[in-house]
Amino acid sequence: MSFLADLGRKLTSTIKNAVIQHHRRSGAVLFSDTTLRDGEQMPGATLEPADKLEIALALERAGVHSLDAGFPASSEQDVAAIQMMVGKVKKPVLTALCRTVKADVDAADFALRGQPPHKRGVSLFIGTSPLHREFKLQKSREEILKLIGETVSYAASKFEVVAFSPEDASRTEIEYLCECYRVAIDAGATTIGFPDTVGILTPQKAGHFLREIQDNVPNIERALLAVHFHNDLGLAVANTLAGIEAGAHVVQCTVNGIGERAGNASLEEVAMVLDLHFDQYGRRSKIDTTQLVPLCELVQRLTGIRPAPNKPVCGPTIFATEAGIHQDGLLKNPDTYLPFRPEKVGATGLQLVLGRHSGRRAVAHRLQELGLDSGEPAVISLLEQIKQLPKGVMLDDATVRELASRPRSGA
Ligand code: MN
């Protein structure tokens, strides 16, 4: 190796290490989004390259630190999508998924050419659990360690940002798992990931795994620790938070929690918990919470996957209520029945739905909003008509006008 090339390599490695140490010391939680890769793996969620660019730009506005842009070796469409993002997505690091195969790293290098070196990376994975070793890969522990060392080192010769994740980590023997991480970091991995690939952990067990890793991987301080949880038991967000409490630096999430099987940890939920509970976690993130609902709505529209109406943070009815007592309280002060206000997450305001459970105050409020007579007799008349409506009917403005214009009984 020439003197200059050697010097260049040493300089790059010094800068890489300084960046890692900066992130480790800052205590910030870095969001790595995988909507465009794991999210897209959800049946029916297929996105066109132009859709992916639109979502990537919205993720950039929301403040994610990095985004898993696709799996170049898996499809031409993924390559096309990543190439569209190059040069346009400026702040987040764009990472491409790779197996521990040199040709996958080359495909990622090709897809990401033109992106500044510190804003492009690869994320390598190989199954490490007994199930993956015996049935999927038919490789021994030693063969897998050798592959990790060789391919991570190859990736580090082409990329400044190199993540390595042992797939099915949560079902891998802890000593072997730590050995995989040690080899990956020695070979140049800048981030090591802990994926709960089949979503099997509880928060307590997730925290235990992460503490074991930090205690037993001797070179751990040279890398960032990332977590990736699936929601098969409805615990992905809780496990992600346990990971943060146990010292994870990077959390991998998807918008609306979409993803393989029951999905992934939902970005908007993790971001809101951190925002509202700084006193507990003591960790900031760069997520702009006012961008969350617009981001969730964009992903819904482009993937066609609609969350449940009551989905936390972004469900379409979470700021709507029909209950009289709640409506009365909300009109006096919105905080009476809300954990956070709609504008905090970029949602449009409260919706006081008129229905069988509504009270006088909400009815009068709506009549006033529509510029109609809101005197006591008008309110009582409308309320009586509403109570006789069939189950499930929600009143839009036109219906309210129509009912309010009907002649009152006895009038
Ligand atoms: Mn996954």
Side-chain angles (χ1 to χ4, degrees), residues 119-268:
K119 294 291 181 186
R120 49 170 241 155
V122 277
S123 185
L124 274 65
F125 73 96
I126 186 167
T128 53
S129 65
L131 279 164
H132 281 238
R133 295 194 311 255
E134 283 164 38
F135 296 98
K136 191 178 95 170
L137 302 165
Q138 288 153 338
K139 288 191 192 305
S140 69
R141 289 180 176 217
E142 292 67 32
E143 284 171 306
I144 290 169
L145 286 173
K146 189 161 175 277
L147 260 179
I148 295 170
E150 283 169 5
T151 51
V152 169
S153 151
Y154 182 70
S157 72
K158 292 175 178 265
F159 288 90
E160 288 182 18
V161 177
V162 179
F164 168 75
S165 293
E167 194 183 17
D168 208 17
S170 51
R171 294 190 297 183
T172 301
E173 307 89 333
I174 188 72
E175 331 74 63
Y176 181 59
L177 188 65
C178 290
E179 186 61 5
C180 293
Y181 289 134
R182 186 191 64 75
V183 168
I185 296 170
D186 266 351
T190 53
T191 298
I192 54 164
F194 177 82
D196 181 21
T197 304
V198 296
I200 197 71
L201 291 184
T202 61
Q204 288 73 15
K205 289 183 179 176
H208 180 72
F209 259 107
L210 294 181
R211 283 187 293 273
E212 287 285 315
I213 292 164
Q214 290 172 96
D215 288 346
N216 295 296
V217 177
N219 47 7
I220 189 92
E221 74 291 341
R222 281 159 50 196
L224 298 174
L225 180 55
V227 291
H228 174 107
F229 287 102
H230 276 274
N231 204 33
D232 297 74
L233 298 175
L235 293 170
V237 168
N239 289 341
T240 301
L241 294 167
I244 291 169
E245 282 201 299
H249 310 98
V250 182
V251 291
Q252 202 160 48
C253 299
T254 63
V255 176
N256 296 332
I258 62 171
E260 193 73 39
R261 300 182 313 281
N264 293 53
S266 141
L267 180 147
E268 60 281 4

Side-chain angles (χ1 to χ4, degrees), residues 11-21 156 159-162 188 190:
L11 195 63
T12 306
S13 127
T14 309
I15 294 168
K16 254 168 37 176
N17 192 47
V19 171
I20 290 168
Q21 298 316 321
F159 288 90
E160 288 182 18
V161 177
V162 179
T190 53

Side-chain angles (χ1 to χ4, degrees), residues 295-315:
L295 175 63
C296 292
E297 286 175 353
L298 177 70
V299 171
Q300 279 174 45
R301 182 161 63 76
L302 296 179
T303 59
I305 303 212
R306 306 236 151 247
N310 61 348
K311 163 82 177 59
V313 184
C314 64

Side-chain angles (χ1 to χ4, degrees), residues 1-13:
M1 196 187 302
S2 79
F3 169 73
L4 274 180
D6 190 33
L7 188 69
R9 194 158 290 198
K10 276 184 186 148
L11 195 63
T12 306
S13 127

